[in-house]
Amino acid sequence: MQDIESAVRIRNVAHHFGEPGDARRMLALQDTTMDIRRGELLALIGPSGCGKSTLLNIIGGLLAPGQGSVDVGGKAVDGPMPREIAYVFQENALFPWNTIIENIRLGMVFQRVPKALHEERALHALQAVGLTEFANHYPAQLSGGMRQRAALARALSLDTPILLMDEPFGALDEQTRMVLGEDLSVLLSRTKKTIVFVTHSLGEAVFLADRVAVFSARPGRVKEIIEIDEPHPRRPAFITAEKFTRLRNQLYELLHDEIRKTVDQGTRSGGF
Ligand SMILES: Nc1ncnc2c1ncn2[C@@H]1O[C@H](COP(=O)(O)OP(=O)(O)O)[C@@H](O)[C@H]1O
Ligand SMILES: [Mg+2]
């Protein structure tokens, strides 16, 4: 693969939590090498605790890896890169005492976006997620799905080429997350953003991703990468297509033994 096509290069990344010699020291992520292509949505899927959030934090420069290196846009990551990377988390982290548009402006203040750009960027981001009419509402006046849209708008207003999304729809009900998934697919077809998207939902991964990286149980490493060759925007009808079911089953096969390892670590006796 040509360098120019990778937005993020991950080379031999491994990470322990805990100091050497501490009995609680644990290898969270091992031997991870991967290129994230410019303009793709790469989904990360794997058992709980396999290091998905750890990898996202390393890509985002929030955590320095114990071993290995990450390049973003050809530059070695050695701290947060607010011009390159924005985050959306499961907990939308909106300030409850600020309106939606104030929350978006604050995001830009924190990331030092020049003030002259705030108004236009905020309005554009609100429009992109369909929240223009709710600009002056407070988070508590919005549904969970709308709050996640607002968090997405805040990230979009930073106008970074890369978005890291850690289970962004994880706290929402299934129908709401399907609708938000459709909207994100439309957004993908319109922008050239590179998105790394952690999810527990196999269906969500197939619906949204251009590629899905399946992680092994802890210590996590990439077990396999599956290509989802289907143009964006993806339509709800894709969910009932034979191709969707085949890909979803393929992911399940790859994950099944890894999930079992994680679950059995907790029981040891094996089974009920
Ligand atoms: N700050 C931390 N200190 C100690 N252990 C951590 C810390 N963050 C994560 N871990 C551990 O590292 C492993 C991987 O965590 P994480 O990356 O959050 O997994 P995932 O997002 O795949 O569920 C887990 O066992 C978790 O308990
Ligand atoms: Mg996580």
Side-chain angles (χ1 to χ4, degrees), residues 27-190:
L27 183 59
L29 192 66
Q30 67 174 339
D31 198 20
T32 298
T33 293
M34 188 168 38
D35 282 294
I36 301 172
R37 298 174 187 160
R38 229 173 265 286
E40 78 171 339
L41 187 143
L42 177 77
L44 306 184
I45 196 155
S48 236
C50 75
K52 303 179 294 296
S53 296
T54 301
L55 181 59
L56 229 57
N57 290 336
I58 290 172
I59 296 171
L62 304 176
L63 180 69
Q67 280 172 47
S69 64
V70 177
D71 282 12
V72 167
K75 279 200 318 213
V77 174
D78 61 359
M81 303 171 95
R83 282 172 205 282
E84 304 290 330
I85 293 180
Y87 263 100
V88 183
F89 299 101
Q90 179 172 332
E91 320 74 39
N92 55 60
L94 298 169
F95 292 119
W97 51 82
N98 289 121
T99 63
I100 298 306
I101 195 159
E102 285 165 355
N103 266 285
I104 294 172
R105 285 198 202 103
L106 271 174
M108 290 188 273
V109 170
F110 290 144
Q111 300 303 344
R112 298 170 201 268
V113 173
K115 191 140 199 287
L117 298 174
H118 289 192
E119 201 58 25
E120 190 196 326
R121 290 261 196 102
L123 294 175
H124 187 253
L126 281 168
Q127 194 195 6
V129 302
L131 281 183
T132 305
E133 285 162 39
F134 296 88
N136 297 313
H137 283 57
Y138 288 88
Q141 297 173 305
L142 269 53
S143 67
M146 288 158 87
R147 285 200 289 271
Q148 275 318 93
R149 283 180 201 273
L152 178 58
R154 184 179 50 188
L156 290 174
S157 74
L158 303 177
D159 201 24
T160 59
I162 300 172
L163 270 183
L164 304 180
M165 304 181 80
D166 199 350
E167 300 188 42
F169 308 149
L172 304 175
D173 64 84
E174 196 185 354
Q175 288 91 25
T176 304
R177 66 196 286 176
M178 280 163 69
V179 170
L180 262 57
E182 285 168 32
D183 293 351
L184 187 59
S185 181
V186 170
L187 195 86
L188 277 167
S189 70
R190 290 199 193 134

Side-chain angles (χ1 to χ4, degrees), residues 225-244:
I225 295 184
I226 304 286
E227 298 256 356
I228 314 273
D229 181 15
E230 178 79 19
H232 292 280
R234 294 183 184 164
R235 300 293 175 203
F238 179 41
I239 294 175
T240 52
E242 186 271 337
K243 179 179 179 183
F244 183 91

